[in-house]
Amino acid sequence: MGQPQKPIAAEQQILSLGRVLQSLREEDDVDVLIETTISYLKEEFDYRLIWIALYDRLNHILFGKGGITPDRDTSFLHQRVVLSPGDLLEQVVIEQHPLGIADLQTEIRAAEWRKIAEKLQIQGTIILPIRYKDRCLGLLLLGSDRWGYLLTGEAKARLMMVLGELGALLYQHEMHKQQKQTKRSDEPLLELLENLRTLTNLNQRLEAGVQATHKFISPNRTNVYWFDREGRYFWCRMSNQLVKSDRNSSNQQAPGMTVQDLSDFYYALAVNQIVSIGDARSSLKSHFTAKLLQRLKVRSLLAAPIIWQKNLLGFLAVESNEPRIWTETDKNFVQSVASLMSLVTPTESMESTIKQIQEDAQLTGQVAQGIYSEHDLQETLHICAKRVLARLTATRFLLLQYDPEQNNYQFIYQSQPHNRRPLTFTLNTLKELDVQLLQRSTEAVEIENLDEDLRFFNWRPFLLESGVRSLLICKCTQSHIPAALLVITHETHRSWTTLEKDLLWAVSQQIGVIVRQWQLHNRTTQQQKTSQAFEQCLNILTKTQNSNEVEKKHLEHTALEQIASILGCPLALLLSWSPGENLAEIIPGVIDNSQFGIFSDASIPIQSEALIQWALVTENYLTLKVDNLPPETRKWLNTPDKGQILVMALRTNADYEITGVVLLADYQERRWSQQNLNAIATLISQLAWWCRQKQINRLLESTTEELRQLNWYKHRRLEEIQRITALSLKQIHDLGIPANELTQMRYQLLLRQLDHTATSMSGMLKLENWQLHISWETMPIASLLKRSLERIENLLKQQKLWIGVHGLGQPIDEQESPKNSSLVRGVPSSSAQSAMAIAGDIVKIELVIHELLVTACNRSPIGGRIDIWCRRLDASKPSEAKQSSAIVGAEHQTSLELSITYNGAIESQLLTELHQNTLKDVLAPSKLDQPPALHLLICQNLMLELGGELNFYQLPDNRVVSRLLLPLVSHDS
C-alpha cells in the first residue's frame, strides 16, 4: 500500500463541515454551540468581524453571544440591542432573509454598527437570520475589510447548513425550556388543589388562590374581583395586599369598576375569554385598554374569568406596575386557578341555591295549576307577575301579543309597582334580525344595557322613555312572527343569572298556553260576531217587502253597522245611485270617532270620483291609505292622515248595473284578517242584491202605478166614446132612412160600420178591462194585408215610398215605375185571396203588422222601397218546421212567414236587445224603455202570446228585416 494522499482543499472543507455539524448535534449547552459555530466561521471564512446574537421575541431584543473582532475587544459583542423600527437588524428579524451591505460605514440605518465599522475599518457586511420553521431565533453578522458583500455559492451553502443546524438546536433548546417551565407550574397547582380541599370557607379558598398565583407569577398585585349583578359593577373581594375585603369597605387598596365604564372588558370575560395586556400587546381595543389600565393604575394586566353555569361571578387579576410580556405559562396558570375558584364557589351558597330551586319549581307549578283550573286568567297572571317580579327583583312584568291587523305588539297584560304608571303605547313589529334571534333562542334573551345594546332597536326609544334600562325577553309561542312575548324590565343596568333566565323561560312557556286560550276565545267571539252580523243582515233582507223609503234607508244604515262591526271600523257609509244618474248619494252608516267627518250634502259625480272609479274597476274589495286620496275626495271625506280605507262596489252579476259603493275607514293602518275580509265581502254582496232588488221593486211599483193610471184613464175615455157613439147611432136611427136610393145605400153602409165599431168597442170594454183577451178568428192574409196597407196610405204618399207584396200568387212587375198612381203592387184579386188564411186574434195581429209597417215607413228614406214577402212553411219540411219551432205545435201545424224588408237604418244595440235570448237588466238604461223601440218589444211579446213569433235582424246588404211567423188555417179546420 502506498502512503495516504493529502486531502485537497474541497475535501478539506467538506470534512470540516461534517465535523462542525457533528459537534453541534452532540452539544446541549447554548454557549458551547455558539462558540463552536464562531470557531468554524473563523477558520473557514475570511471575515474580520463575526457576531452572533439571540433574539427574544417577547421583548423584541437581541442578546449578543460573542464573536471575533480585529482588535480582540469583544465587550460590545455581548451587549443587549433593542430593535427599533427601520433598523437593518429588525428588517432581517422580521423578513427572515439575508441582507448584504456594500459598505457598513456609510449605512445610516445601522447607527451603532456604523460607528463600530468606522472604528474597525469594516466595509462589506452580510447579516443572516438564524431561523427554524419560520421562527427567527437569532442573527449572524459577518464583516470584511473589503468593499462588497459577495459570497460564493459553495461557501453560502456551507454557511446556511451550519446556521440551519444551529437554528434547529436553538429551537429544541427553547422548547425544552418552556416544557420545563410548564412542568414547574404543575406543583403549585397541585399544592393549591390540596389546600382548597382542606379549607371550608370561600374567602379562605379565594385567599389561597390569590397567594398561589402571586407566588408563581410574582406581579405587583393579585386581586379577585367579584361581580354584583344588580349594581352591575365589580368590587375587590380578595387581594394579596389586603387579604379579605368587603364590598362596603372604604379602605380597599384595589379599586372597583362598573360594567358601563369598561364594556369590552366585561363582555370578553362573560364569554370565558382571558384578557391579557402587556408591553405593547393587548387582547382588547386600544381605547378600552388605556381606560382599563388607567382605572386600575397598572401597566400590565392578566385577568381570567370565574364562571359557574354560564354566570360570570368575577375574575382573577394579576397586575403589574411595569410593562410585562405574559408568557403562555402565566396565562395557563391564572386560568387554571380561576377555574378552581369557579368549582369551589357554589359550595358556599349550596343550601340557598337548593332552596331557590325549590321555590322556583313551586312558582312554575302554581302557574300551571292556575292555567288548568277554573280561576280567572287575569287573576292567574296577577299572581304569576307578582311572584316573578319579586323573584327577579324586576320593575315591570309585560305580556305582549302581536296584532296582525295593525302589524304591531300590544300589551294584553302588565304589572308594575303602585308608583309606576302602566305603559299605554304600542310597539312596532320586530325587525327581521330580532325575529330570527327570538326564533333561534332556547332561553330568555338578556339585554343588560339598553342604552348601548342594538338589539330590538325599534323598541328602544319607547322603552328608554319609560325608564327601562335592562330587560329579559322570552317568546311564549312558536310562530314565524312570535305571537306572544313575555318581557321583564328593570330601571337600572343589571344582569340576571342563568337560573333566573331558566325560570322566566319556563314561566313564559306556560303563559303561552294562556295566550293560546285567549286566541281561541277571541276567534270564537269573532266568529259569533260574524254569525250575528249575517243573521241580522238576513233579517234586514226579509223586511224590505212592506217598507217605505224612510224605513229602507234605516235598514241600509243597520246593514252598514253590522258590516262595520266585523272589522271594527269607526266609519261606514254607502255611496248609492240609480242607473243612468250622474251623482251619488251618501247614505251614512257608522261614524263612531270624532276624527272622521262626512259632508253628506255634497254632490259626488260618479264619473270623476276616484274612490268610486277604483271600486268599479276592482273585482273584489280594495284597501288603500288615506294619503293616496285625491284632494277632491278629501273635500267631502275627512279622515286622519294615517288612516286606511276599504271600498267595494255593490256588484251582483257581471252584466248587471252597479248601483253603489260601500266605504269602510279606520283611523290607523291595519291588516285585517282574511276571514273577516271574506265575511264582509259576502255581506256586501248580499247588500248589493238587496239594493238591486229594492230598486227593481221601486221601478216595477212605479211602472205598475203609471200603467194602472193610464189604463184607467183610457178605459174611462173609451167608455165615454162608446156611450156617445151609441147615443149618436140611436139618434140616427130615430131620424130614419133618407128617401134618395143612392144616399140610402151610403147611409146604410156607414151605419153598419158604426154598428160594427160600437159592437167591437163594447166587447173590448167588457172582456179586456184589466187584461188581454185572446179571441180566435180566421182571415185571408191578402185581406189582412190590404186593410193594413190602406191604413198607411197617407204615410206612403208623404214619404213617397214604393211598397210591394210578394208570394201571394200574383207576380210583381219589377220594371213598373214607382210613379204609378197606385203605390201598392202585388196584392192578389179576390179569386186568389182564399189561398192562404191565418187563424188567431185578427185584431191584435193586424195591429202588430200595422206597427211594423209604420216603423218601416219611418225608418225608410224618402222615395225608398218596402217589400213584404209571404212564404208558406209546410210542417212536412223539417228545415222549415225547425225554423218555426217557436210556434206552439209547429210540428203539426203549417205557418206563414211574413217578412218586411226595407233599406232603413237601425241601431245594432237595438237589434241585440230585441233578441229573445239576450239577458236584460231591468235597471240598466235601454232603448226599449221608450217608443218606438218599446212598441216593437210589445209586439214581440204579444206575438209569443198569440202563438206566433217576431224577430228583427239585418241582412248582409244592410236591409232590415222584420220576420213574422203566423199560424195558417189547416185544410181540416
Side-chain angles (χ1 to χ4, degrees), residues 504-519:
L504 187 65
W505 177 263
V507 171
S508 68
Q509 300 310 297
Q510 293 176 346
I511 289 180
V513 179
I514 298 179
V515 174
R516 282 190 287 270
Q517 288 180 352
W518 275 354
Q519 290 175 344

Side-chain angles (χ1 to χ4, degrees), residues 310-376:
K310 300 181 181 180
N311 296 318
L312 180 63
L313 305 178
F315 64 92
L316 173 62
V318 176
E319 306 166 5
S320 178
N321 296 330
E322 298 296 332
R324 180 169 174 174
I325 299 299
W326 305 107
T327 65
E328 291 297 324
T329 304
D330 296 336
K331 296 178 182 179
N332 293 333
F333 189 86
V334 172
Q335 194 168 20
S336 299
V337 175
S339 299
L340 290 176
M341 291 180 177
S342 302
L343 294 175
V344 300
T345 298
T347 59
E348 181 188 32
S349 57
M350 187 65 71
E351 294 183 0
S352 61
T353 302
I354 294 174
K355 183 179 179 181
Q356 191 63 66
I357 292 175
Q358 293 175 347
E359 293 179 355
D360 293 346
Q362 183 181 5
L363 172 59
T364 55
Q366 290 175 350
V367 174
Q369 183 179 3
I371 292 173
Y372 295 104
S373 65
E374 296 181 356
H375 294 166
D376 182 67

